[in-house]
Amino acid sequence: MVVCGDDGLAHRLAAELRGVYGEQVTLVVPPNERTARPPVVGRARAASAALLDRVVSAAVGTVGRTGANVQPPGTPGGQRLDGEGVLEAAEVTEAVLAEAGVARATALALVYDDDETNIRAALTARRLNPRLRLVLRLYNRRLGQHIEELLDQAAALAAGGDEGGDIAGAGVEASTTVLSDADTAAPALAATAVAGTGRVVQAEGLLLRAVERPLPGGTPDADTGAGAGAGLCTLALLSGGGDPGGLGEQPRLLPDDEEVRQAAGRQAVVLEHVSSGTGTESTAPTRRLTGVMPLASLFSRRLRWSLAGMVGCVVGLAVALWLATGIHPLRAFYITLLDLFAIDDPALREPLGRQVLQLLSALVGLLLLPILLAAALEALGTFRTASALRRPPRGINGHVVLLGLGKIGTRVLTRLRELNIPVVCVESDPEARGLATARRLRVPVVLGDVTQEGVLEAAQIHRAQALLSVTSSDTTNLEAVLYARTVRPDLRVVLRLYDDDFATAVYRTLRTAYPHALTRSRSVTHLAAPAFAGAMLGRQVLGAVAVERRVLLFAAVDVDGHPQLEGRTVRDAFRAGSWRVLALLGRTDTASDHVLEKGDRVVVAATRRGLAELR
């Protein structure tokens, strides 16, 4: 395996392939002086240590231990990579790829932060080795689909034209997979920020949702291995008190029936099948967000009531004219409109009642003029400001404050709006890429530095239900969370931190300082690396669910060639702590006694090491 990258994802992915899957890995990274990302982490650690010391003196020991074990820049999550198998190169040229052994490699991951660099290197690598399995990190999803088709077509043509070139016969399936760390991590970040929203995994029409709730008592269901009423199955038993960074009981992934039976009343992550027939509703709304301006947003409430009152007056005058003169109702309505718009038809020789009604209609017409003018000006002003950023309304309540509209923040914003969650964004860069998305979704945005006083107050942080800080600076994320906690000690906070060790230390400290408030720290590289590693191994990783500080993977696996699956029933294709078969794709009536055979394709929940064992 060859991994090329310029930030923490490359190091995390290399450690994942080596430590979990036991693969031989060559890591290609820029020289230390050219690596821009790790020094940011170093500065964040130094600054954050001082901030944490100011927050709670009880946690000084924890922070001190963390600072004593600071790894050199670029090390993945506290693991020091050996010098052997690491190649330093400023650019990924053909010569560098050849030196890394791409011509003999099984898979190549290109995880640079720049899309163009990854595409250029992928085209070169495909030419060097048509049988190579490629995994690319691209932010542009539409471009990624075209690149997948292009590189797969190039591999097929090269294999066909090569003498004796048989990809399947060589034991390697040439394929191209385009992934985005932002798309992989955004659902987990969004779900963590909002209480009551489930983590959703989709596979060919199958919709599964993981939720946290206490396990009821009773005998585990024979088909699911879960407690009665616990859902499809129990994915994990959470640690005591839900403290993932604590030193006590650790979470137990994929427990067996006996463990579930003995854990009655304990918090657990339970899997549910979301469909119209199960009575479980999906968290995603049925209404699609289109960006089209609703009619109600064109006019204020007062103006709409004025227009409604005017329509009522017109109808009342038409009815009165019909009753007074006995003419046809439609003609009465027509004559009323003529009088209303002052069209010259005076009732000189008409009865007194008709003349009075004409005068009243003319008066209503005079009142209608300013209302129509106000409606025109208000609609024009609305259209003018449609392209501008909205300010947070004064009455907003129960919203999520999202800090940062970069790559991760933009994906998280889209995910939150798909869940129909009200959001207020805070961004310091007026040219940030996510501002266009916020404008299209009509999401309120506060432009300003979140570390400055008054910015979070402008985002109505005192009325928010959660704070989600996903800026590119660890120091900014931490400082924003600490300041928000001084305003709202009980505020639910989720912060994105670059380094996983640092995220754990921050979590422990904040839990110590605010034991009654929900705190979650997430590392994007920690959430994204399993999906990239699975793609390099030729597996379709459907999603990842964060269980405290661990990750549970959902993957689509072909039964053929897996002795742990083939010939076993769905109930028996299970190893506690490693993997569990959840569903058989293409069938809606999967029974626990169904025998898996060649040609079947199943969805499994697995730990990272369990997925490696299934290989």
Side-chain angles (χ1 to χ4, degrees):
M1 303 282 179
V2 180
V3 178
C4 304
D6 58 355
D7 61 5
L9 180 58
H11 295 277
R12 167 68 66 177
L13 179 56
E16 187 93 6
L17 293 170
R18 285 173 172 168
V20 177
Y21 298 99
E23 292 289 341
Q24 182 180 355
V25 183
T26 298
L27 178 61
V28 180
V29 293
N32 288 333
E33 63 270 15
R34 290 179 175 267
T35 306
R37 186 59 174 150
V40 175
V41 180
R43 291 196 299 270
R45 282 178 170 171
S48 59
L51 287 170
L52 290 172
D53 285 338
R54 294 201 302 265
V55 176
V56 54
S57 59
V60 170
T62 303
V63 178
R65 288 195 296 273
T66 305
N69 294 322
V70 172
Q71 300 293 331
T75 55
Q79 299 182 25
R80 185 186 298 274
L81 290 179
D82 298 330
E84 183 180 1
V86 178
L87 176 63
E88 291 188 349
E91 296 182 2
V92 189
T93 61
E94 183 173 348
V96 171
L97 292 176
E99 185 178 355
V102 167
R104 304 178 304 276
T106 301
L108 167 66
L110 297 165
V111 293
Y112 289 94
D113 194 45
D114 179 53
D115 288 2
E116 183 180 349
T117 301
N118 293 328
I119 294 173
R120 186 187 302 114
L123 296 173
T124 303
R126 180 60 82 208
R127 187 175 68 253
L128 293 176
N129 186 353
R131 298 177 176 85
L132 186 67
R133 183 181 297 121
L134 284 173
V135 179
L136 278 72
R137 171 190 184 183
L138 295 182
Y139 180 79
N140 191 327
R141 289 176 289 186
R142 180 176 299 179
L143 176 61
Q145 295 176 356
H146 296 306
I147 291 297
E148 278 189 3
E149 297 174 359
L150 175 64
L151 293 175
D152 284 344
Q153 184 177 2
L157 292 175
D162 189 12
E163 184 177 352
D166 184 3
I167 295 176
V172 178
E173 179 187 356
S175 63
T176 305
T177 304
V178 175
L179 297 174
S180 168
D181 56 337
D183 286 334
T184 305
L189 290 170
T192 306
V194 184
T197 60
R199 291 155 284 191
V200 177
V201 177
Q202 301 184 35
E204 300 180 11
L206 181 67
L207 192 60
L208 304 173
R209 181 175 66 174
V211 295
E212 293 184 13
R213 64 185 181 197
L215 283 177
T219 304
D221 188 281
D223 287 342
T224 64
L232 188 62
C233 70
T234 301
L235 296 178
L237 301 175
L238 299 182
S239 60
D243 184 2
L247 302 177
E249 189 177 9
Q250 296 298 313
R252 170 64 172 167
L253 302 184
L254 300 174
D256 57 23
D257 294 353
E258 184 61 28
E259 289 178 297
V260 174
R261 185 181 299 109
Q262 296 177 358
R266 182 173 171 181
Q267 285 290 123
V269 178
V270 178
L271 190 68
E272 294 178 345
H273 180 206
V274 181
S275 67
S276 58
T278 60
T280 303
E281 297 182 357
S282 173
T283 56
T286 57
R287 178 178 60 89
R288 296 185 59 186
L289 296 172
T290 60
V292 178
M293 190 180 303
L295 182 61
S297 64
L298 291 176
F299 309 111
S300 64
R301 183 179 180 182
R302 181 180 300 177
L303 185 57
R304 294 198 303 269
W305 276 109
S306 299
L307 289 173
M310 192 62 60
V311 171
C313 290
V314 173
V315 173
L317 288 171
V319 172
L321 182 60
W322 168 47
L323 296 177
T325 61
I327 63 176
H328 193 277
L330 291 180
R331 180 171 176 78
F333 187 75
Y334 173 70
I335 293 176
T336 301
L337 290 179
L338 291 180
D339 294 337
L340 187 70
F341 295 118
I343 297 177
D344 191 18
D345 186 17
L348 297 177
R349 296 185 175 90
E350 299 292 335
L352 179 61
R354 167 73 182 96
Q355 294 176 347
V356 172
L357 288 174
Q358 187 176 55
L359 292 175
L360 291 177
S361 298
L363 179 61
V364 172
L366 292 176
L367 297 176
L368 181 61
L369 269 178
I371 295 178
L372 293 177
L373 180 61
L377 293 177
E378 192 169 290
L380 180 62
T382 302
F383 279 115
R384 279 186 171 181
T385 59
S387 59
L389 295 173
R390 297 182 61 197
R391 299 288 297 176
R394 294 183 178 180
I396 191 170
N397 190 20
H399 58 288
V400 173
V401 176
L402 176 63
L403 309 184
L405 286 175
K407 290 196 304 183
I408 303 295
T410 303
R411 293 289 192 256
V412 172
L413 172 61
T414 304
R415 178 64 177 170
L416 288 171
R417 294 305 300 134
E418 288 174 351
L419 295 172
N420 209 21
I421 303 298
V423 184
V424 173
C425 300
V426 178
E427 175 56 54
S428 60
D429 182 10
E431 302 297 328
R433 69 173 72 198
L435 292 179
T437 301
R439 187 179 295 111
R440 175 175 58 85
L441 298 177
R442 298 185 57 77
V443 173
V445 177
V446 176
L447 286 176
D449 187 353
V450 71
T451 61
Q452 299 297 322
E453 187 175 357
V455 175
L456 282 179
E457 285 82 353
Q460 305 292 334
I461 190 65
H462 58 286
R463 296 173 177 265
Q465 65 165 317
L467 171 67
L468 182 53
S469 187
V470 293
T471 71
S472 58
S473 171
D474 288 0
T475 306
T476 301
N477 292 336
L478 181 59
E479 186 174 353
V481 166
L482 295 179
Y483 180 73
R485 277 284 169 83
T486 61
V487 178
R488 280 273 307 277
D490 61 338
L491 182 67
R492 182 186 306 114
V493 297
V494 180
L495 64 160
R496 165 203 176 186
L497 296 176
Y498 179 76
D499 185 82
D500 196 51
D501 283 348
F502 179 50
T504 303
V506 169
Y507 174 84
R508 293 175 178 176
T509 307
L510 290 177
R511 285 289 293 176
T512 302
Y514 302 95
H516 301 296
L518 179 64
T519 303
R520 291 292 183 266
S521 56
R522 293 288 182 258
S523 167
V524 173
T525 58
H526 178 79
L527 295 173
F532 281 82
M536 292 188 72
L537 296 171
R539 285 172 174 76
Q540 184 185 359
V541 177
L542 305 173
V545 169
V547 181
E548 298 180 350
R549 301 305 306 165
R550 303 181 67 183
V551 174
L552 195 62
L553 303 177
F554 294 83
V557 178
D558 292 321
V559 172
D560 186 21
H562 288 84
Q564 305 96 329
L565 302 177
E566 190 172 2
R568 298 172 180 262
T569 63
V570 172
R571 183 192 298 110
D572 295 335
F574 164 65
R575 180 181 295 177
S578 297
W579 68 78
R580 178 191 288 276
V581 173
L582 301 176
L584 183 63
L585 291 177
R587 293 174 61 107
T588 58
D589 56 345
T590 305
S592 61
D593 56 354
H594 174 80
V595 179
L596 300 176
E597 55 189 15
K598 183 177 180 179
D600 286 342
R601 185 173 175 83
V602 296
V603 176
V604 299
T607 62
R608 289 180 294 181
R609 191 168 299 277
L611 191 61
E613 293 176 7
L614 279 178
R615 190 186 175 196

